[in-house]
Amino acid sequence: MTLTIVALLPSLQNTNGDAENAAVLARRAGWAGLDARVVAVESRDELPAHVDAIVIGSGTDASLEVARTRLLELHDELRRWGTEGVPILAVGTGWELLSWGIELPDGTGIEGLGILPGRAVPSVGGRITGDLVVAERGSRELLVGFENHARAYVGAEGSPLGRVRTGEGNAKGSGQEGVVMGEVIGTHLHGPVLAKNPVLADRMLTTMAARAGLEYEPGERTRTVDAYADSARRAHLAAAGVDATAAPAAQTVDG
């Protein structure tokens, strides 16, 4: 069986290389001895018959309306995938488009697909940029990346990806980053995030394999590459002034 990983709208939603997270999943699956392929989907007509995971990257505000129109064609499928437990990674504006909606500075708005709780609103104090370190909720993992967004994310405080150790995350002073609902993840972590945080990639791959009746076990090549990723992560944490050996603070359901 071949695992099919869909990169949604890569021509529009790949400003920071986020769509390449699909390639990360496929490569790690291959190193584990599993067949996997990446399918770029720009419209509903290009959708494969079976989907094992979805990646939606971040785009520019200029492409928001076009991206939303194309995603609306896939609304029923996206909702079904989310309900069925298909892993979905949405980054930046890709995440915002799956939310309740996006509020723009001129007072107008763009209705989201309503797959994830919360909405994007103009950030008080301007654009948020810089290194981002997150203590993942429910684990001892520190996730690293960079953030670059003009909007804050509100209304999903009960289900964050994790607590901010360095950076701003969902909003200045919120202390939270991202949103998680089942196997659907929304995040500001650019990067691509799965290359920098292989534990997140392996979690998605484990779910993908299990749903397909397969078993995912990282291969030898994976461990070699992850050693490089770990070195880069430690350099990132050191530059951010975060102690990689310190256990993240306990996290509650309300963050």
Side-chain angles (χ1 to χ4, degrees):
M1 178 178 180
T2 299
L3 297 173
T4 299
I5 303 149
V6 166
L8 276 184
L9 313 185
S11 68
L12 297 173
Q13 302 295 118
N14 196 23
T15 301
N16 299 285
D18 308 303
E20 305 311 316
N21 283 298
V24 174
L25 289 172
R27 184 61 60 87
R28 294 180 75 84
W31 290 336
L34 303 176
D35 289 330
R37 63 172 180 155
V38 174
V39 178
V41 172
E42 300 287 354
S43 68
R44 194 176 189 282
D45 293 340
E46 299 174 354
L47 195 66
H50 179 77
V51 174
D52 294 288
I54 301 96
V55 169
I56 311 173
S58 187
T60 66
D61 279 7
S63 66
L64 279 175
E65 288 284 5
V66 175
R68 176 185 177 274
T69 298
R70 294 192 192 176
L71 287 176
L72 274 176
E73 299 176 355
L74 296 163
H75 177 270
D76 290 347
E77 285 82 1
L78 283 164
R79 186 168 292 280
R80 174 171 56 81
W81 292 328
T83 300
E84 292 178 352
V86 175
I88 299 176
L89 175 67
V91 182
T93 63
W95 163 25
E96 293 178 344
L97 286 166
L98 296 188
S99 75
W100 296 333
I102 301 170
E103 296 179 16
L104 302 175
D106 63 3
T108 62
I110 296 175
E111 185 178 358
L113 273 67
I115 306 298
L116 285 170
R119 66 178 59 252
V121 301
S123 175
V124 177
R127 178 173 288 275
I128 298 172
T129 62
D131 288 335
L132 182 60
V133 178
V134 180
E136 189 182 10
R137 183 184 182 196
S139 80
R140 298 174 60 87
E141 296 296 333
L142 292 177
L143 307 177
V144 304
F146 69 90
E147 57 184 335
N148 181 8
H149 51 106
R151 285 177 288 274
Y153 197 89
V154 299
E157 287 75 15
S159 52
L161 175 61
R163 296 284 282 175
V164 173
R165 293 285 295 275
T166 295
E168 298 294 345
N170 288 352
K172 293 183 177 181
S174 73
Q176 295 185 338
E177 159 56 20
V179 63
V180 176
M181 176 172 283
E183 298 299 328
V184 185
I185 299 173
T187 184
H188 293 111
L189 285 164
H190 297 293
V193 61
L194 298 185
K196 290 187 173 182
N197 304 281
V199 65
L200 204 55
D202 284 349
R203 198 169 299 143
M204 293 180 67
L205 284 161
T206 298
T207 299
M208 291 163 56
R211 295 187 74 254
L214 304 172
E215 185 176 346
Y216 172 74
E217 182 66 33
E220 185 61 36
R221 176 62 172 163
T222 307
R223 286 185 280 273
T224 300
V225 171
D226 286 356
Y228 292 111
D230 184 62
S231 178
R233 283 166 42 78
R234 288 182 180 278
H236 187 125
L237 293 171
V242 176
D243 182 0
T245 64
Q251 299 169 36
T252 59
V253 172
D254 61 2

Coordinates of all heavy atoms in Angstrom, one line a residue, residues 226-236:
D226 N 18.0 12.8 12.0 CA 17.5 13.5 13.2 C 18.6 14.0 14.1 O 18.4 14.9 14.9 CB 16.6 12.5 14.0 CG 15.3 12.3 13.3 OD1 15.0 12.9 12.3 OD2 14.5 11.4 13.8
A227 N 19.8 13.4 14.0 CA 20.9 13.9 14.8 C 21.3 15.3 14.3 O 21.7 16.1 15.1 CB 22.1 12.9 14.7
Y228 N 21.2 15.5 13.0 CA 21.5 16.8 12.5 C 20.4 17.8 12.9 O 20.7 19.0 13.3 CB 21.6 16.8 11.0 CG 22.8 16.1 10.4 CD1 22.6 14.9 9.8 CD2 24.1 16.6 10.6 CE1 23.7 14.2 9.2 CE2 25.2 15.9 10.0 CZ 25.0 14.7 9.4 OH 26.1 14.1 8.9
A229 N 19.2 17.3 12.9 CA 18.0 18.2 13.3 C 18.2 18.5 14.8 O 17.9 19.7 15.2 CB 16.7 17.4 13.1
D230 N 18.6 17.6 15.6 CA 18.8 17.8 17.0 C 19.8 18.9 17.3 O 19.7 19.7 18.1 CB 19.1 16.5 17.8 CG 19.2 16.7 19.3 OD1 18.2 17.1 19.9 OD2 20.3 16.5 19.8
S231 N 20.9 18.8 16.5 CA 22.0 19.8 16.7 C 21.4 21.2 16.3 O 21.7 22.2 17.0 CB 23.1 19.4 15.8 OG 24.2 20.4 15.8
A232 N 20.7 21.3 15.2 CA 20.1 22.6 14.8 C 19.1 23.1 15.9 O 19.1 24.3 16.2 CB 19.4 22.4 13.5
R233 N 18.3 22.2 16.4 CA 17.4 22.6 17.4 C 18.0 23.1 18.7 O 17.6 24.1 19.3 CB 16.5 21.3 17.8 CG 15.4 21.0 16.8 CD 14.8 19.6 17.1 NE 14.6 19.4 18.5 CZ 13.6 19.9 19.2 NH1 12.7 20.7 18.6 NH2 13.4 19.6 20.5
R234 N 19.1 22.4 19.1 CA 19.8 22.9 20.3 C 20.5 24.3 20.0 O 20.5 25.1 21.0 CB 20.9 21.9 20.7 CG 20.3 20.6 21.2 CD 21.4 19.6 21.7 NE 20.8 18.4 22.2 CZ 20.3 18.3 23.5 NH1 20.5 19.3 24.3 NH2 19.8 17.2 23.9
A235 N 21.0 24.5 18.8 CA 21.5 25.8 18.5 C 20.4 26.9 18.5 O 20.6 28.0 19.0 CB 22.1 25.8 17.1
H236 N 19.2 26.5 18.0 CA 18.0 27.4 18.1 C 17.6 27.7 19.5 O 17.4 28.9 19.8 CB 16.9 26.7 17.3 CG 15.7 27.6 17.1 ND1 15.1 27.8 15.9 CD2 14.9 28.3 18.0 CE1 14.1 28.6 16.0 NE2 13.9 28.9 17.3

